Amino acid sequence: MKKLILYSFTCLSLAALLTACSSKGGNSSSKTGVPYADRKSKNNQSGAFAVATQYKRAPGPGLIPIEGGVLVVGGSAIEVPGVEPNIYNYKRQVTVPSFYMDETEVSNTDWLEYLHWIRYNYPEDQEFYYNELPDTLVWRSALSYNEPYVDNYLRHPAYRDYPVVGVSWEQANRYCLWRSSRANEFILREKGILTDYRTLAGGNTGRNNNAATAAATPRPDKPFNTDAYLNGQYDDKGKNAPIDYNTKAGAATGTAGAAAGGRGNNQPRRTATLEDGLIMQPYRLPTEAEWEYAALGLIGNTEYENINQNKIYPWNGLGVSSASKKTRGLIQANFKRAPGDYMGVGGSLNDKGDLTVPVIQYTPNDFGLYNMAGNVNEWVNDVYRTGTFTDADAFNPYRGNYFENKKLENAQSGKIALDKYGNPIKENAYSGRKQTWAEKQAQAKRADSISRSTDPQTATASTTYQADQRGYRDRQNLLLNEEGVTLINDKSRVYKGGSWNDMAYWLNPATRRFLSQDESSAEIGFRCAMTMLGAPEISTSGKRSFKTPRQVPYRVSKGK
């Protein structure tokens, strides 16, 4: 009996010990029992593995979460006699992963902030500033007096909250890249992981951070870029930079700010990494499937996977006017009701907009997105083909992949090449799989010799891998003009949503048109999106789910 009690006690003690040393999502490895490195832990040691156990995801500035799911692309389309079917998607069921999307269209003020940053950081670079100016001449028309909009629409405060127009797809993409680095830099400086703004400016921020500390802080010669920072090519470590547990205690920190005060100040600091969970995913244009899914907003009509009412607009009902008691009869979007009727009758303006309207106007759809119909059409990421969704994958469909690598400046060190603005230089991807180390080094040498070559044939013979996937499995019938020249190519980009100058038909989220990516219009703007990482469910509150224990102890087998 004593042996049985002793055996049971031993098993329970061992199980408790293993449970304490291992947890699912805890502070110790569930496979080795070794504690993870943590600022709050007293067991930190050099060489310990750091894990972001307290990570909580959140949308970037301006974004709201969109819980993904099944979508019948083209399912809301209304077939109109005499209208070509290629203006909407062929109906097909696909799945859109959860993602984030801008609550509103990008406004004139948002774009002026971009232009201000360029002028402040590159005051002598007139070309950079000029290239990012919207084309305000899109307002000009031979038989319309629109000159006031040419001069005022972008810059006058009367239009500060109106959507920016005259922006090409290419400019919108560059804005997304800029916005990504600015938002990440702000987060890192606010947290003190980079030198905080007041210290960087030389201000007095307290006992441990004064003008002398600011003067000792290294100043990178180029503005912050997320990719360069993650690759260790932006040397700036603030007082709250993560502790580097892979370097022996007592080593030099490399910055004055990192050595000042706080726990662990005898430890060297490092830059933040993706594993820390602090760096946001890049802002980008939404895919066509994401945009259509978000515009419909069927989540408000769904209960237990049953969609009780479909939509042909971002709101319920077959019409374009409000059925609510207080707003009954008012138009729910900014569009052209009839030829020549842009806003209704004087004294009782209906949609209350002659051209565009502010980016926050009307009632948002069930995802909380404003103006997903009307106001301005919006660029999406996809290359245009009439039959995209007959070819694209059923999960996260997209046409437009052009796979690229960051060009290496030094293959041995892994240092990436940066342009004069601090952005990574991209080159065609040269493999569709992970190369062996020998293949990678050989490719780097070959790329280096090609970059030195002036022979165009040599320059194009660097790889047989096809990085451009825009035309992959393309079975469409090309649209031809009267001269037999195709109107569609790999620079044709989709825009959706309808505008202030469109009839109600184009407010349907399934409709689609295209324009060359280097052209712009007074009727096209854009909004940004961001990939959501992790579980697709946004909120578990009030939803049925399996109970998942936070800690999963090892089970000790007693044997037979």
Side-chain angles (χ1 to χ4, degrees), residues 34-287:
V34 177
Y36 296 140
D38 191 322
R39 289 189 182 205
K40 298 180 180 180
S41 174
K42 297 180 180 180
N43 299 320
N44 290 334
Q45 55 184 327
S46 295
F49 179 47
V51 176
T53 57
Q54 303 301 315
Y55 168 73
K56 292 183 179 179
R57 71 182 181 191
L63 302 171
I64 59 176
I66 308 294
E67 185 168 293
V70 172
L71 167 70
V72 178
V73 286
S76 63
I78 309 169
E79 297 187 23
V80 177
V83 177
E84 293 293 330
N86 59 15
I87 62 172
Y88 53 82
N89 294 319
Y90 296 103
K91 293 178 175 61
R92 183 187 175 193
Q93 182 170 280
V94 301
T95 291
V96 177
S98 297
F99 62 103
Y100 301 110
M101 197 168 190
D102 269 340
E103 182 181 24
T104 69
E105 298 144 338
V106 172
S107 71
N108 286 322
T109 296
D110 298 329
W111 198 268
L112 289 174
E113 179 188 9
Y114 179 32
L115 294 177
H116 166 77
W117 182 90
I118 295 172
R119 177 160 282 176
Y120 180 83
N121 286 277
Y122 299 96
E124 305 300 324
D125 196 332
Q126 298 299 318
E127 180 182 4
F128 187 11
Y129 186 85
Y130 181 82
N131 286 340
E132 300 313 308
L133 279 174
D135 182 5
T136 60
L137 299 182
V138 294
W139 290 109
R140 279 186 175 166
S141 179
L143 297 176
S144 181
Y145 181 61
N146 287 346
E147 211 63 19
Y149 307 116
V150 174
D151 297 331
N152 295 300
Y153 181 81
L154 173 65
R155 299 184 182 277
H156 198 281
Y159 296 105
R160 67 178 183 270
D161 296 325
Y162 285 56
V164 67
V165 298
V167 172
S168 69
W169 181 94
E170 293 175 349
Q171 287 177 305
N173 265 273
R174 292 195 293 268
Y175 173 87
C176 291
L177 294 174
W178 168 84
R179 182 180 176 185
S180 300
S181 289
R182 298 292 71 71
N184 276 322
E185 180 183 17
F186 182 80
I187 289 172
L188 296 176
R189 294 203 187 280
E190 286 291 292
K191 291 180 177 293
I193 293 168
L194 292 176
T195 305
D196 62 86
Y197 285 109
R198 293 184 65 184
T199 303
L200 198 64
N204 187 354
T205 58
R207 289 179 300 175
N208 295 325
N209 290 300
N210 51 30
T213 302
T217 302
R219 297 289 203 278
D221 60 347
K222 294 177 181 177
F224 176 89
N225 176 271
T226 302
D227 289 323
Y229 176 78
L230 289 174
N231 203 50
Q233 293 175 228
Y234 190 84
D235 186 18
D236 183 353
K237 301 179 186 69
K239 63 180 181 179
N240 295 327
I243 295 173
D244 188 355
Y245 293 109
N246 292 321
T247 303
K248 291 183 179 180
T253 61
T255 64
R263 178 181 293 183
N265 60 4
N266 63 328
Q267 284 277 13
R269 304 287 175 150
R270 61 172 175 82
T271 57
T273 64
L274 279 179
E275 291 92 328
D276 294 315
L278 298 168
I279 304 293
M280 293 187 304
Q281 290 295 292
Y283 287 88
R284 55 176 174 81
L285 291 178
T287 67

Side-chain angles (χ1 to χ4, degrees), residues 245-507:
Y245 293 109
N246 292 321
T247 303
K248 291 183 179 180
T253 61
T255 64
R263 178 181 293 183
N265 60 4
N266 63 328
Q267 284 277 13
R269 304 287 175 150
R270 61 172 175 82
T271 57
T273 64
L274 279 179
E275 291 92 328
D276 294 315
L278 298 168
I279 304 293
M280 293 187 304
Q281 290 295 292
Y283 287 88
R284 55 176 174 81
L285 291 178
T287 67
E288 183 176 0
E290 285 175 336
W291 196 98
E292 184 173 339
Y293 179 87
L296 273 177
L298 289 174
I299 195 168
N301 297 349
T302 303
E303 185 176 8
Y304 301 116
E305 288 201 277
N306 296 314
I307 298 175
N308 53 45
Q309 183 178 356
N310 212 327
K311 297 179 179 179
I312 58 175
Y313 301 114
W315 52 82
N316 288 324
L318 301 177
V320 294
S321 57
S322 172
S324 298
K325 185 175 181 180
K326 293 183 178 180
T327 57
R328 185 167 296 160
L330 291 179
I331 301 298
Q332 300 191 79
N334 179 24
F335 67 100
K336 184 169 61 177
R337 289 194 297 173
D341 183 0
Y342 290 86
M343 58 181 176
V345 178
S348 183
L349 298 182
N350 201 302
D351 69 18
K352 307 187 188 305
D354 49 1
L355 299 173
T356 58
V357 297
V359 295
I360 295 183
Q361 190 139 321
Y362 312 111
T363 303
N365 73 357
D366 287 332
F367 278 124
L369 302 171
Y370 287 88
N371 288 311
M372 292 300 286
N375 208 24
V376 289
N377 289 287
E378 297 179 16
W379 287 115
V380 298
N381 218 354
D382 291 56
V383 166
Y384 180 85
R385 292 293 190 274
T386 57
T388 287
F389 294 102
T390 62
D391 299 324
D393 292 347
F395 178 78
N396 207 10
Y398 168 68
R399 182 183 288 283
N401 282 314
Y402 194 114
F403 301 120
E404 294 179 311
N405 294 332
K406 301 180 186 72
K407 184 177 181 179
L408 291 178
E409 183 177 290
N410 186 306
Q412 291 298 323
S413 66
K415 186 177 181 181
I416 58 177
L418 304 176
D419 63 18
K420 64 180 181 179
Y421 305 116
N423 300 316
I425 297 173
K426 301 292 185 69
E427 60 182 359
N428 292 346
Y430 38 77
S431 177
R433 61 172 177 80
K434 179 184 176 182
Q435 297 176 305
T436 65
W437 179 255
E439 288 173 335
K440 184 176 177 65
Q441 300 309 305
Q443 176 64 40
K445 291 180 180 179
R446 185 161 57 249
D448 181 63
S449 64
I450 289 171
S451 66
R452 298 171 185 270
S453 173
T454 57
D455 182 2
Q457 291 185 347
T458 304
T460 57
S462 60
T463 178
T464 57
Y465 175 68
Q466 176 58 265
D468 189 350
Q469 299 291 310
R470 289 174 291 185
Y472 179 68
R473 204 178 290 165
D474 182 5
R475 297 179 294 217
Q476 68 150 23
N477 294 318
L478 296 178
L479 297 178
L480 304 178
N481 63 14
E482 295 178 354
E483 289 74 32
V485 178
T486 179
L487 300 176
I488 300 175
N489 55 47
D490 287 342
K491 290 189 175 183
S492 302
R493 298 287 175 169
V494 179
Y495 66 87
K496 299 170 74 73
S499 78
W500 59 271
N501 198 29
D502 287 318
M503 304 293 282
Y505 176 79
W506 296 103
L507 305 185

